[in-house]
């Protein structure tokens, strides 16, 4: 008899907990819609597609750090190549200045080639540096959430289905452990 009373008492509490969780998720999903479009928004459904745990996030951070180390090694090799190109360009320009006047124009194409190689190295360095910066931002983002989170669950990936202006929309949204939208 006591088990029945306990079941009758706990069942509404668990249902209220679930509906509270659902309302938090719906509220977070609604907050992903721009304010000016909320009047045309109609919620259809959602599905939690993935739960990201602390271990997953730590693994992601480790992977990003490893990628950064590889990119930084590549950047260093591009810098060494560029230094060699600059040295060769300076030699070529010096030789052009010291050669016979009627031979000087023959160095122009060599100079352009060295300049092109320097520009190409600079572009590669810039591109890889941008990747490192983006990875560091993601690492910082993940680390901030790891430091704030007390639960083993850090994020929920949620599939959000809704209509907006009559058009059906489907998107993946990231929520934190408290069902707040992660931007």
């Amino acid at each position: 008899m006591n088990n029945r009373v306990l079941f009758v008492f706990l069942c509404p509490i668990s249902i209220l907990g679930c509906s509270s969780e659902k309302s938090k998720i719906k509220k977070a999903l609604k907050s992903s819609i721009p304010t000016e479009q909320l009047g045309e928004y109609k919620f259809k459904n959602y599905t939690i597609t993935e739960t990201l745990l602390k271990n997953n996030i730590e693994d992601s951070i480790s992977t990003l750090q490893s990628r950064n180390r590889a990119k930084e090694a590549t950047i260093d090799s591009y810098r060494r190549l560029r230094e060699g190109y600059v040295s060769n360009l300076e030699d070529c320009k010096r030789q052009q200045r010291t050669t016979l006047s009627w031979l000087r124009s023959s160095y122009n194409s060599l100079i352009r080639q060295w300049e092109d190689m320097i520009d190409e190295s600079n572009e590669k360095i810039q591109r890889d540096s941008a990747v490192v910066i983006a990875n560091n931002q993601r690492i910082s983002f993940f680390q901030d959430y790891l430091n704030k989170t007390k639960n083993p669950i850090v994020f929920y990936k949620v599939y959000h289905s809704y209509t907006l202006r009559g058009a059906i929309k489907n998107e993946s949204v990231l929520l934190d452990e408290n069902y707040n939208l992660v931007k």
Side-chain angles (χ1 to χ4, degrees):
M1 184 83 129
N2 288 337
N3 287 341
R4 285 185 189 176
V5 172
L6 185 61
F7 177 75
V8 171
F9 179 72
L10 290 179
C11 191
I13 291 175
S14 67
I15 292 172
L16 286 175
C18 289
S19 66
S20 171
E21 178 181 295
K22 286 181 181 181
S23 66
K24 286 179 182 180
I25 293 173
K26 284 182 180 180
K27 182 179 176 183
L29 294 174
K30 190 174 182 178
S31 73
S32 72
I33 307 300
T35 310
E36 61 273 1
Q37 296 178 345
L38 280 176
E40 300 163 5
Y41 166 81
K42 290 195 174 137
F43 173 81
K44 286 180 72 180
N45 63 18
Y46 75 87
T47 305
I48 297 176
T49 57
E50 192 174 353
T51 303
L52 300 171
L53 304 174
K54 281 186 176 186
N55 295 349
N56 303 114
I57 302 302
E58 289 167 351
D59 289 345
S60 295
I61 289 172
S62 179
T63 299
L64 290 169
Q65 289 170 335
S66 176
R67 288 179 185 167
N68 277 355
R69 284 189 296 276
K71 285 291 181 190
E72 287 165 357
T74 304
I75 290 170
D76 286 342
S77 69
Y78 288 141
R79 285 186 178 137
R80 284 191 299 277
L81 279 173
R82 182 183 61 191
E83 289 171 9
Y85 298 158
V86 168
S87 175
N88 289 339
L89 174 64
E90 290 169 359
D91 287 344
C92 197
K93 285 181 178 180
R94 188 177 22 40
Q95 288 173 2
Q96 182 186 37
R97 285 189 306 268
T98 59
T99 193
L100 300 171
S101 61
W102 52 274
L103 287 175
R104 288 185 183 148
S105 63
S106 64
Y107 283 92
N108 289 341
S109 66
L110 284 173
I111 290 171
R112 274 193 300 275
Q113 287 176 356
W114 286 119
E115 289 171 341
D116 289 345
M117 291 166 70
I118 291 168
D119 290 343
E120 185 178 319
S121 293
N122 286 335
E123 289 172 10
K124 289 178 180 179
I125 290 168
Q126 207 170 24
R127 183 188 64 230
D128 286 351
S129 295
V131 169
V132 169
I133 289 168
N135 286 346
N136 283 336
Q137 289 171 341
R138 290 183 69 198
I139 289 169
S140 176
F141 168 80
F142 286 142
Q143 197 62 55
D144 287 345
Y145 273 93
L146 276 180
N147 294 339
K148 288 187 236 177
T149 303
K150 293 176 180 75
N151 296 329
I153 297 172
V154 181
F155 297 114
Y156 296 98
K157 227 181 220 182
V158 180
Y159 179 78
H160 179 203
S161 182
Y162 59 95
T163 58
L164 189 63
R165 297 182 186 153
I168 297 172
K169 304 276 187 174
N170 299 304
E171 64 184 14
S172 286
V173 178
L174 195 62
L175 304 179
D176 67 10
E177 66 172 314
N178 298 314
Y179 307 109
N180 295 315
L181 182 68
V182 176
K183 296 182 181 184

